[in-house]
Amino acid sequence: MQQLNLLLTSLPDGLLLGFVYGLAAMGLTLIWGVMNVINLSHGPIITLGMFSTFFIYTRLGLNPYIGVLPIALVGLLLGILIYTAAVHRVINGPHLSSLLATFSVNMIIIGLGTAALTTSPYNVDFSAGSFKLGNATILGTRIIAAIVTLAFTGGLYLFLYRTRPGKFIRAVANNRAAAELMGVPSTRILALSFGIGTMLAAVAGGLIATFFPFSILSGSGYELKSFVIGVLGGLGNPIGALFGGLILGILEGIIPAFIESSWVPVIEFVLFIFILLVRPSGLFGAKK
Amino acid sequence: MTILLSVQGVSKRFGGLQALTNVTFDLPQGQILGLIGPNGAGKTTLFNAINGVFPPEEGRILFREKDVTRAKPYEHAHLGMARTHQIVQPLNDLTVRENVMVGACFGHEQHPLTHAAKIADEVLEFVGLAAKAEQLAGSLNVTQKKRLEMARALAARPYLLLLDEVLAGLNPSEIDGMIQTILKIREKGITIIMIEHLMKAVMNVSDRIIVLDYGQQIAEGSPEEIAKNEKVIEAYLGDPKLAEQLLEEE
Amino acid sequence: MNAWKKHLGIVLPLLTVTALALWPVVTDNPANRESVFTILKAVALASSLNILLGYTGYVSFGHIVFYGFGGYVGIYLLTEKGWSLGEALLAGGVASGLLALLLGSAILRLRGAYFALATIGVNEAMRAFINNFELFGGPTGITLKFSVYKEYGGAAQALQTAFYIGAGLALLALILSYMVRSSKFGLGLLAIRENEDAAEVMGVVTPRAKTWAYVLSAIIPGMVGVLFFFKNGNVEPHDAFPLHSSIELLVMVMLGGQGTVFGPILGAFAYQGMRGYLVTSPVFKDIQLSVSGVLLLVIVLFIPAGAIGWLRHRIPPLRRLLA
């Protein structure tokens, strides 16, 4: 009975958190799907999103959600810059090259960030109210974050399936050589895809900043979660990532009702390895 | 006459595509079997089934009286089967000699390194690549890479050699050279199955020919019989150039 | 070819590491000894990783898991079961080797980035598990009793002993690396690296070869872990499984040249040297990580074969010397 109560109070929280996890992972998995690159600068980009919210709210005194669109725009441009400077040259090289290239970007961002912001924790002390649902207290910030996530997911879906550049992205993801023969400007499309991927990560970071305290190093934890979610939803499947995020959020809500919450990452990563081994296309991916 | 390889009712599907249907033949030791057919007829798929890369769903493959239907490619290699690839697969960052040593070390006879190096030099001499032994395999041109594929397979000293389009892309004098090499290999007592598009060549060197079309075995016989076979001519009509070549042989 | 010339490739690595190990002994300076120990540790770890990464072509992003796991097992036996340092070192190596054997048969089926991801998962799962594992002290880890050092002639003498063992492990790692590189087994690994499917068709028993490469690349890191945490005085999850150290090892191997015996030594030396300089430099101190990042990016983009690979490619006569 006590467990059930605990479950009912922590489950909605986890579920709502799952939306934002999904949003972050969507960025990672989109990049993987389009160009087979695992973006190891994903974490620091999430962190940059967090600090953007911090500055908009704490320093400029604005509502943090005003920041969503500027953060998205900056994330997009930053991604295009990273692609051009670090990824494009190794896009056809061995996996190690693109992994290390994006990791070097990770080091650059973390290094500069540490110099400017130290590694001490920051906090966005913002409240958007709360309400009771049974025993559970639902925070307004989580509801808004879930709505923003749904808006971005819908937007991404429409973009990929209804617009010309979106269709180009899907064509390049499907078969880059063939897309090039059909006249798709693949370099620009790859850069755009990388930009959208980092944009989603930055926005997710901006939203997470309203939940928990963070430091310049926080991103790596969310990056690892994004790997897990990406594999759950099928690497390369952005919409699957949202479901993967929800599953992870639910797990994080349920597991503490039964065992100590410190076991959560053990279960997450064992699940991660297990799915990689038995179903590398993810729970929702088509079998290849 | 000993039967080296026996393919019995082999079928293979890829998704909705029936790539091979009930292919059946026996290959006696010491023969050259030509495998022909239009593009996409399933010739390379048959090779992949025979040497365990993509095992068939139905049927059995016996090699030296041993059932190898579900065996892994390396088990086939250990038993004495070797092959070349239609799209050459050199180990680019290893030298030509090292490439060939891999065949000698891990193939049928499993030689230790020093002995493998000697075999590699002999085989390279045989295929005419001795001068390139110290070069990286990635630096060879396509003709040389095809010879390298063959050298690697030969270094294993196999009973059966599967040759997948070793003549494609070669100029006429290179083709003559390669055919001489193939005949010399047979003199060593090695049995050969060769996939080939060049009719003239395959008709000249093969003891027997099997024709595949849409995964079906539509004809089998001596080169003369195949050249007269109506079904074969029909199958090739979709491919006028090949039909022409066939008629030229007449 | 006489025996001396045939084994020329091991000469330069052996001389370099021996000279490195002797330097603090000759100068008799404990500060030098500490920085050289760091380099020797990196040499041992990077050379081990190279067996998997450089020879076999599998990118392990979580290789540090073997260092952490072996370290934990050894320190546990040392403190709780009263094993000697020598026994604990062996146990750490064996434990990591067994872990690799177990993991390898499962995750080595994955290729490319999927394998890399799985190794990250393994490292994180292990870290999270040890964090909950009471036998190994959970989140606080295991602390060595100071009395342990008495058996080794007190703390100062123990540090000296640890240094010699570290030098021994580094030498062992590069001898192992050279033996693999110049063996038939190693040729099979190189074939897998270049083209796994073709290797299999030529008869290389790829699952077995890959698993043994993984095991061989895990043993010495396990021993280094025991040694490091013995010297350190305690072990905790955070120090035992740092993902960024895994990646630093990749950088070292790549910097010097993957797939060569000498490359990881040069890479370890260069990387640690550079880091040492940047951390103490007044100009770069605060942004040393960024400067390292820029250097890494330049190397990845412009000299992907690493320094030794580049030299071997440019000056073919050097190939025998720079094996």
Side-chain angles (χ1 to χ4, degrees), chain A residues 49-63:
Chain A
M50 293 171 164
F51 278 98
S52 305
T53 296
F54 176 81
F55 283 104
I56 286 163
Y57 175 69
T58 311
R59 293 289 151 82
L60 302 179
L62 298 171
N63 183 306

Side-chain angles (χ1 to χ4, degrees), chain A residues 86-170:
Chain A
V87 182
H88 185 64
R89 242 187 107 93
V90 292
I91 190 91
N92 294 319
H95 278 293
L96 182 61
S97 297
S98 58
L99 285 165
L100 288 182
T102 54
F103 184 71
S104 66
V105 174
N106 176 321
M107 289 165 77
I108 295 168
I109 297 176
I110 297 283
L112 291 174
T114 307
L117 303 158
T118 75
T119 53
S120 40
Y122 288 70
N123 188 20
V124 172
D125 192 13
F126 172 78
S127 166
S130 67
F131 61 91
K132 281 266 183 190
L133 186 81
N135 280 336
T137 307
I138 309 282
L139 296 170
T141 47
R142 303 236 170 155
I143 295 282
I144 298 174
I147 293 170
V148 173
T149 296
L150 285 175
F152 270 90
T153 311
L156 179 68
Y157 185 84
L158 288 177
F159 177 74
L160 287 179
Y161 285 84
R162 294 275 182 273
T163 69
R164 201 174 160 78
K167 286 176 183 168
F168 281 177
I169 287 179
R170 288 193 298 130

Side-chain angles (χ1 to χ4, degrees), chain C residues 11-281:
Chain C
V11 173
L12 198 56
L14 278 179
L15 285 179
T16 313
V17 172
T18 311
L20 194 62
L22 286 177
W23 183 48
V25 181
V26 174
T27 57
D28 195 23
N29 179 343
N32 281 346
R33 195 186 63 202
E34 287 315 296
S35 41
V36 171
F37 183 83
T38 311
I39 297 173
L40 290 173
K41 176 183 161 194
V43 167
L45 294 176
S47 290
S48 297
L49 175 63
N50 188 40
I51 294 176
L52 187 70
L53 173 72
Y55 301 159
T56 324
Y58 274 68
V59 182
S60 172
F61 254 76
H63 218 64
I64 209 75
V65 74
F66 298 116
Y67 162 85
F69 182 71
Y72 255 105
V73 171
I75 295 301
Y76 170 76
L77 293 171
L78 200 70
T79 51
E80 307 293 325
K81 302 285 171 198
W83 290 30
S84 73
L85 178 60
E87 290 164 343
L89 281 168
L90 286 179
V94 170
S96 289
L98 286 176
L99 180 66
L101 187 65
L102 212 70
L103 285 173
S105 42
I107 62 173
L108 283 163
R109 282 187 290 142
L110 300 168
R111 293 198 187 174
Y114 286 94
F115 176 77
L117 276 178
T119 58
I120 294 179
V122 165
N123 188 59
E124 293 307 305
M126 182 62 84
R127 186 226 303 264
F129 172 74
I130 299 277
N131 209 22
N132 287 290
F133 191 51
E134 287 307 321
L135 193 65
F136 283 175
T140 49
I142 306 172
T143 303
L144 242 60
K145 293 184 203 76
F146 202 70
S147 59
V148 168
Y149 292 126
K150 278 202 186 123
E151 285 175 40
Y152 304 93
Q157 185 56 42
L159 285 182
Q160 189 69 36
T161 309
F163 175 79
Y164 290 125
I165 297 175
L169 289 178
L171 286 172
L172 193 65
L174 66 93
I175 290 170
L176 179 69
S177 166
Y178 179 76
M179 280 169 58
V180 170
R181 177 73 168 80
S182 50
S183 68
K184 177 174 158 178
F185 169 66
L187 181 64
L189 297 184
L190 297 180
I192 291 173
R193 177 189 75 193
E194 293 299 313
N195 186 330
E196 189 165 343
D197 294 321
E200 201 164 315
V201 166
M202 281 188 275
V204 180
V205 186
T206 50
R208 195 169 66 199
K210 286 188 294 185
T211 305
W212 281 112
Y214 201 39
V215 170
L216 288 179
S217 74
I219 292 173
I220 291 176
M223 300 172 81
V224 173
V226 179
L227 184 68
F228 180 79
F229 294 113
F230 169 78
K231 194 168 158 292
N232 201 33
N234 79 320
V235 54
E236 50 184 275
H238 185 73
D239 294 333
F241 306 103
L243 196 57
H244 67 91
S245 299
S246 269
I247 300 175
E248 281 179 342
L249 292 181
L250 289 170
V251 173
M252 290 175 208
V253 175
M254 183 138 180
L255 193 67
Q258 42 178 315
T260 64
V261 178
F262 193 52
I265 300 169
L266 190 70
F269 192 78
Y271 184 84
Q272 293 296 0
M274 179 191 78
R275 235 187 119 213
Y277 168 73
L278 289 177
V279 172
T280 51
S281 140

